[in-house]
Amino acid sequence: MNTEIFHITFYDYDSSAYIHFLNCNFRCIGCIRRISIWDCHLPLNIRNSLKHLRCLKIDEFKEIINLLIHNYSLKSVVLGGGEPTTDKSLPLVVSILNSLGVKVKLLTNAYNISDEIANILKECEATVSIKSINPGKHLEYTGFPIKQVLDNFLKIYRLNVNVSIETILIPGFNDPINIADIAKYISLIDDKIPLIIDSYIPVPGAPWRRPDISELEEAEYLSKLYLLNVYCRGKVISKGMGKVYLVYPYLNGFSSYDVKSCFEGV
């Protein structure tokens, strides 16, 4: 069976792997993959040298995970992309990881959460990305309506999935006051649900700039008026986090690099 997994990296600071899925059902205006489809923590020269786009077969994926467990003490994985729920092999991928004792977190836009996927998430963590709580803005940014995202978020929450919400501070589009609206919406369901605030990285063809630290702090402050658990990941700089290993596609075997800030030099 084929998967849509085309890229895997490993982080030694917490013994985790990031598993990248190729396809996505959204076409977000500010998608970071407009800069590069490869892991942003890899050095620019390495990202530029990666041309191989063959997705793994399920047996190849299992072999890589076993290698990471036995040789690198793999403890957890993040399934991202792209959008993992577009991959028909996702239930089998999660089943393999669960059977090997690897902790799983799924990053998803939650637009297509079938009953099968909802049930496998009971054994995982899930982070649902909300681009904007405003229906018109969400449609403009992603090309898809927000209602199905929110309905599916509620569905997995009611199944007692360990779920959090992620959003991006985009000056002029998803401002601190707009993020506070997301926090208010979440609080009406459960004020203990975590909210993660990321910092927008400018991409070609989109009009927005990167937020400054004061804007991130304002979004964090306003969100904490509604929620008990707010994490402003946009303020965190990823230096001093050990090494990132390029696992797949292969480039002279497993190669390790010092973790740098996202898209250094762009």
Side-chain angles (χ1 to χ4, degrees):
M1 184 178 189
N2 291 326
T3 74
E4 292 180 6
I5 297 168
F6 77 101
H7 184 33
I8 300 175
T9 47
F10 176 82
Y11 293 81
D12 67 359
Y13 82 98
D14 65 351
S15 299
S16 69
Y18 196 110
I19 297 171
H20 300 251
F21 289 74
L22 181 61
N23 294 316
C24 188
N25 47 356
F26 281 9
R27 294 294 178 264
C28 294
I29 295 172
C31 180
I32 202 169
R33 299 214 300 180
R34 289 173 181 255
I35 298 175
S36 175
I37 63 172
W38 309 106
D39 192 313
C40 65
H41 296 99
L42 292 171
L44 183 60
N45 66 311
I46 299 300
R47 297 199 304 270
N48 288 341
S49 71
L50 292 174
K51 308 295 183 185
H52 185 56
L53 265 178
R54 187 182 73 83
C55 292
L56 291 168
K57 296 179 180 179
I58 199 70
D59 289 342
E60 294 173 318
F61 169 73
K62 187 173 183 179
E63 181 180 352
I64 288 174
I65 295 302
N66 272 312
L67 187 153
L68 289 174
I69 291 170
H70 293 122
N71 290 5
Y72 293 83
S73 301
L74 176 69
K75 292 181 174 62
S76 64
V77 301
V78 174
L79 308 180
E83 174 52 43
T85 62
T86 63
D87 189 347
K88 293 180 180 178
S89 76
L90 179 62
L92 182 54
V93 167
V94 174
S95 176
I96 288 170
L97 292 166
N98 285 339
S99 71
L100 294 172
V102 178
K103 184 179 179 181
V104 179
K105 175 179 283 188
L106 175 73
L107 305 185
T108 178
N109 59 40
Y111 194 77
N112 289 322
I113 301 291
S114 64
D115 289 343
E116 182 180 18
I117 291 174
N119 284 323
I120 66 171
L121 287 177
K122 293 177 183 178
E123 306 298 322
C124 308
E125 295 181 25
T127 297
V128 173
S129 179
I130 295 182
K131 313 304 182 184
S132 171
I133 201 71
N134 179 287
K137 284 187 173 183
H138 190 276
L139 184 62
E140 174 192 350
Y141 190 87
T142 70
F144 289 81
I146 186 67
K147 183 179 184 301
Q148 191 163 318
V149 172
L150 299 180
D151 288 348
N152 283 329
F153 162 62
L154 284 172
K155 176 166 75 173
I156 62 175
Y157 169 77
R158 289 166 178 163
L159 289 171
N160 294 317
V161 173
N162 186 354
V163 63
S164 58
I165 295 291
E166 178 184 53
T167 193
I168 305 172
L169 199 164
I170 308 175
F173 182 83
N174 197 34
D175 289 305
I177 192 66
N178 306 124
I179 291 176
D181 288 338
I182 296 174
K184 183 177 180 180
Y185 164 80
I186 298 168
S187 72
L188 296 174
I189 300 165
D190 185 341
D191 65 1
K192 296 184 293 296
I193 294 172
L195 173 64
I196 302 162
I197 304 170
D198 278 324
S199 176
Y200 175 69
I201 295 174
V203 303
W208 306 295
R209 61 172 174 82
R210 189 187 298 260
D212 59 39
I213 191 68
S214 65
E215 290 168 314
L216 291 163
E217 289 174 344
E218 181 184 1
E220 184 179 30
Y221 169 77
L222 293 174
S223 298
K224 285 182 176 179
L225 298 177
Y226 299 100
L227 297 173
L228 298 175
N229 301 297
V230 177
Y231 175 45
C232 193
R233 189 162 57 194
K235 296 195 303 181
V236 177
I237 298 175
S238 58
K239 292 183 178 179
M241 292 171 59
K243 293 183 180 294
V244 56
Y245 289 71
L246 173 63
V247 178
Y248 185 82
Y250 309 115
L251 190 65
N252 300 320
F254 286 14
S255 303
S256 67
Y257 309 93
D258 290 325
V259 174
K260 303 293 185 184
S261 297
C262 283
F263 291 102
E264 183 178 7
V266 303

